[in-house]
Amino acid sequence: MNTGEPARDGGCLVTTLATTAIVPGTQNLTVGNVALIKTTSVALDPAGNDYIVTFNFTWKGGLAAPLTESITGKLTYVPEAVVPAGTYSDFGLTLVFEINKADFGIVSTETADKIDITINANFNNK
């Protein structure tokens, strides 16, 4: 699991979310560490410039086998920008959604009942 917070990835939430620690330089693609997102619909958000995305989210969490749920989230396009050194540019997508921890077998009191998830995908022209 990679939350983007090194202290958290080192153990704090690894056990809570029934995942295994990331080992630098390896692909740790165990069933407990992989979540799958398969989009079923995308629509322009009438309240802004973002998109409303419905998708099937599959993750094992603390369950015996992975569970798939239909979830709706917000997808934002991050416009292209030249990096400070000026040698290349990048752009991205951000997907924000929420899951109920109990649905995925997480029983710990260390997290809220609803877990907010933010996924950032960055692309560049290096």
Side-chain angles (χ1 to χ4, degrees):
M1 180 175 76
N2 182 356
T3 66
E5 295 293 333
R8 221 181 277 148
D9 295 340
C12 163
L13 286 178
V14 170
T15 302
T16 300
L17 298 178
T19 61
T20 56
I22 294 297
V23 177
T26 67
Q27 290 290 334
N28 195 4
L29 301 178
T30 62
V31 70
N33 277 9
V34 175
L36 176 66
I37 294 173
K38 186 173 182 181
T39 306
T40 56
S41 71
V42 178
L44 186 61
D45 183 351
N49 293 326
D50 301 317
Y51 298 90
I52 303 298
V53 179
T54 302
F55 54 92
N56 290 328
F57 178 76
T58 304
W59 182 52
K60 182 176 178 282
L63 302 172
L67 171 71
T68 300
E69 284 192 346
S70 178
I71 295 178
T72 299
K74 181 177 179 179
L75 182 69
T76 302
Y77 171 71
V78 180
E80 183 176 11
V82 175
V83 297
T87 56
Y88 67 95
S89 62
D90 63 10
F91 69 96
L93 299 169
T94 299
L95 176 63
V96 177
F97 62 96
E98 175 182 280
I99 63 170
N100 182 335
K101 73 177 185 183
D103 292 350
F104 293 95
I106 306 301
V107 295
S108 172
T109 58
E110 294 178 4
T111 62
D113 291 340
K114 302 288 183 176
I115 298 175
D116 295 325
I117 298 175
T118 300
I119 299 173
N120 294 307
N122 298 308
F123 307 92
N124 65 59
N125 62 356
K126 272 186 173 181

